[in-house]
């Protein structure tokens, strides 16, 4: 039977809608893969382009940061001008810039390309979830569709390092960007055939001032976190945080004063909506943060090849997909808030396990920890996205999708910025540079573990071995501290989830 809407009465979707979902999964997988595919490429990029510690973090974060800042705005534009139209424009732009990023000759140009990828990526993501909302109006079918969408999103983030590992086994680091081209070409062909256009008949005004304020709230704070990791606390990071806080305050105040705002901030007064957004953010924070140090540990500390390190992540990827789908029938008998709290509990267990084991962690124990993390993320991501999108009328689906995906991308940014910066700070303070290492090489070794590995290979045997051992020990000590910090955050998130979502129904 085909899904139609007659006087607000819904019937079940048919094969055309499910085929449309399959097509919409292509940008979902690509965008989420792009969040983490650089994890495995970072050592090669570090050796080739020689970025600083802050530059390395910006290579990772420039993309999701721009994405997070523009998602709500692009969702609003999709509501106004057509969600399918925005999807097509974003697809063409993302594919073209991906080809440019693959051949970036310097760290600065790679960061610039990542900024443009974030701009076009922001057109893709709100369109997919809001179009899905209009394809599936039956609540149970929509929850299954969102489960598949969320599983693709979470699994894509975890698959990113796997894809990177396979590609880097055979090609140069730029190949991780070129995969966008063959993935996006089918989208340009099949979306017009399978996915109908939709828009909001009475959209809120596009508000460029609010867009600028939202980015002015995010960018300075993330930059301040990176600055503290590199140079310690000073006047500049404090000033940047102040700018971000003031901009955030003005952003919220401006939207609350408008009768039909680009983003209705009053939605956050609804516990279910705000709680689901927080779960979304924290889930991605924990996943991306864990992947940031896990992928480097497997390659640069354990010494696995990119391909073997990627294969070690496959069990966790499978678990993310399976638990995301299992959450759909589970919430018929257990309230979503309790399922999501349990998922965050598994994330806490994974981080605590990593912290307790410390430098004695084997590949097996790390894989088990990642599987525990994945089990929780799969369920939490599915249900949080469903609760966010179900809490608004269909005509506001684009803006609500933008909120959900902004939380996702902000979680990705903070996962790398916060946990990555803590790790970088402890690494820099713990590494001991042996005698016989020049100033330039010493600075490169202090900046990143990848830099230390590269420098150690050029030094005489005894000195190189001493530097490598010190760098690996410093990195693992940083992982221990970072994991305890993340575990504490998971406990806070569990409390917030139980407080805000305990009454939400599946």
């Amino acid at each position: 039977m085909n899904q139609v809407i007659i006087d607000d009465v819904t019937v079940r979707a048919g094969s055309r809608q499910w085929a449309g979902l399959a097509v919409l999964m292509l940008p979902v997988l690509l965008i989420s893969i792009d969040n983490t595919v650089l994890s495995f490429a970072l050592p090669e990029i570090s050796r080739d382009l020689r970025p600083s510690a802050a530059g390395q973090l910006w290579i990772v974060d420039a993309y999701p940061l721009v994405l997070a800042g523009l998602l709500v705005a692009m969702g609003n534009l999709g509501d106004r001008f057509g969600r399918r139209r925005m999807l097509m424009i974003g697809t063409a732009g993302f594919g073209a810039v991906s080809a440019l990023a693959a051949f970036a000759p310097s760290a600065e140009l790679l960061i610039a390309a990542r900024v443009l990828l974030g701009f076009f990526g922001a057109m893709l993501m709100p369109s997919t979830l809001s179009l899905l909302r209009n394809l599936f109006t039956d609540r149970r079918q929509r929850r299954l569709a969102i489960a598949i969408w969320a599983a693709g999103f979470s699994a894509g983030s975890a698959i990113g390092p796997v894809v990177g590992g396979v590609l880097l086994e055979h090609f140069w680091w730029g190949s991780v960007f070129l995969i966008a081209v063959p993935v996006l070409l089918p989208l340009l062909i099949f979306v017009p055939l399978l996915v109908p256009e939709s828009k909001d008949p009475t959209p809120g005004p596009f508000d460029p001032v609010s867009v600028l304020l939202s980015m002015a709230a995010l960018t300075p704070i993330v930059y301040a976190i990176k600055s503290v990791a590199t140079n310690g606390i000073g006047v500049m990071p404090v000033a940047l945080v102040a700018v971000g806080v003031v901009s955030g305050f003005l952003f919220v105040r401006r939207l609350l004063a408008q009768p039909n705002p680009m983003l209705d901030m009053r939605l956050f007064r609804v516990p279910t909506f705000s709680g689901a957004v927080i779960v979304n953010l924290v889930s991605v924070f924990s996943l991306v943060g864990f992947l940031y140090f896990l992928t480097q540990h497997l390659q640069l500390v354990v010494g696995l090849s990119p391909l073997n390190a990627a294969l070690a992540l496959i069990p966790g990827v499978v678990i993310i997909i399976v638990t995301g789908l299992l959450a759909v029938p589970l919430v018929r008998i257990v309230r979503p808030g309790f399922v999501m709290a349990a998922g965050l509990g598994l994330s806490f267990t994974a981080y605590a396990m990593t912290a307790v084991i410390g430098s004695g962690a084997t590949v097996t124990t790390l894989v088990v920890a990642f599987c525990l993390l994945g089990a929780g993320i799969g369920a939490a991501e599915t249900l949080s996205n469903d609760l966010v999108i179900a809490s608004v009328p269909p005509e506001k689906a684009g803006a609500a999708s933008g909120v959900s995906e902004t939380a996702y991308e902000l979680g990705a940014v903070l996962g790398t910025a916060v946990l990555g910066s803590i790790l970088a700070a402890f690494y820099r303070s713990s590494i001991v540079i042996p005698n016989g290492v020049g100033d330039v090489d010493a600075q490169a070794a202090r900046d990143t573990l990848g830099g230390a590995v590269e420098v150690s290979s050029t030094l005489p045997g005894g000195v190189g071995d001493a530097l490598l051992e010190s760098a690996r020990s410093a990195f693992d000590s940083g992982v221990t501290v970072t994991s305890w910090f993340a575990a504490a955050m998971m406990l806070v998130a569990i409390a917030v989830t139980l407080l805000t979502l305990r009454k939400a129904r599946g």
Side-chain angles (χ1 to χ4, degrees), residues 11 79 279 328 343 385 415 418 449:
V11 293
D79 288 342
V279 170
V328 176
N385 279 290
V418 175
L449 176 59

Side-chain angles (χ1 to χ4, degrees), residues 63-126:
Y63 165 78
L65 181 62
V66 174
L67 206 59
L70 292 177
L71 278 168
V72 173
M74 293 302 184
N76 180 268
L77 286 176
D79 288 342
R80 175 181 292 272
F81 298 113
R83 294 147 186 164
R84 189 179 71 179
R85 179 178 299 171
M86 292 295 290
L87 180 61
M88 300 294 284
I89 294 172
T91 297
F94 196 93
V97 177
S98 294
L100 294 176
F103 299 98
S106 68
E108 292 76 16
L109 290 177
L110 180 57
I111 292 171
R114 294 279 285 171
V115 168
L116 288 175
L117 286 174
F119 175 81
F120 288 109
M123 297 182 186
L124 298 177
M125 296 318 300

Side-chain angles (χ1 to χ4, degrees), residues 17-35:
Q17 284 76 23
W18 291 107
L21 171 63
V23 173
L24 292 177
M25 288 301 297
L26 293 174
V28 169
L29 286 169
L30 185 64
I31 295 298
S32 55
I33 285 173
D34 220 54
N35 266 335

Side-chain angles (χ1 to χ4, degrees), residues 98-193:
S98 294
L100 294 176
F103 299 98
S106 68
E108 292 76 16
L109 290 177
L110 180 57
I111 292 171
R114 294 279 285 171
V115 168
L116 288 175
L117 286 174
F119 175 81
F120 288 109
M123 297 182 186
L124 298 177
M125 296 318 300
S127 301
T128 60
L129 190 55
S130 54
L131 287 169
L132 185 153
R133 175 68 162 83
N134 285 274
L135 281 174
F136 298 92
T137 58
D138 177 81
R139 179 65 188 275
R140 287 192 176 183
Q141 282 194 315
R142 186 173 69 244
R143 182 181 290 124
L144 177 58
I146 289 177
I148 296 171
W149 182 92
F153 221 147
S154 300
S157 295
I159 289 172
V162 177
V163 173
V166 173
L167 290 174
L168 292 173
E169 192 77 9
H170 304 285
F171 307 102
W172 91 115
W173 60 262
S175 62
V176 301
F177 294 105
L178 288 180
I179 59 171
V181 178
V183 171
L184 290 177
L185 283 177
L187 195 74
L188 294 172
I189 298 171
F190 291 107
V191 163
L193 300 176

Side-chain angles (χ1 to χ4, degrees), residues 172-311:
W172 91 115
W173 60 262
S175 62
V176 301
F177 294 105
L178 288 180
I179 59 171
V181 178
V183 171
L184 290 177
L185 283 177
L187 195 74
L188 294 172
I189 298 171
F190 291 107
V191 163
L193 300 176
L194 296 172
V195 180
E197 182 63 281
S198 69
K199 62 178 67 175
D200 183 355
T202 57
F206 181 71
D207 186 358
V209 175
S210 293
V211 174
L212 291 175
L213 285 173
S214 68
M215 297 200 73
L218 290 173
T219 307
I221 292 176
V222 173
Y223 188 82
I225 293 171
K226 297 176 185 300
S227 179
V228 169
T230 305
N231 304 312
I233 297 177
V235 175
M236 181 62 70
V238 173
L240 289 171
V241 171
V243 170
V245 171
V246 171
S247 298
F249 172 78
L250 294 175
F251 172 72
V252 173
R253 183 179 178 181
R254 179 180 177 85
L255 293 182
L256 288 174
Q258 296 175 351
N260 190 16
M262 182 179 71
L263 171 63
D264 188 359
M265 298 301 296
R266 296 170 185 84
L267 285 173
F268 288 95
R269 296 174 181 171
V270 180
T272 299
F273 182 89
S274 57
V277 169
I278 291 171
V279 170
N280 196 350
L281 187 152
V282 173
S283 297
V284 180
F285 176 97
S286 64
L287 174 64
V288 174
F290 197 87
L291 283 171
Y292 181 78
F293 63 72
L294 175 61
T295 51
Q296 294 188 71
H297 178 92
L298 290 176
Q299 290 184 90
L300 301 177
V301 177
V302 177
L304 296 182
S305 69
L307 179 59
N308 288 332
L311 293 176

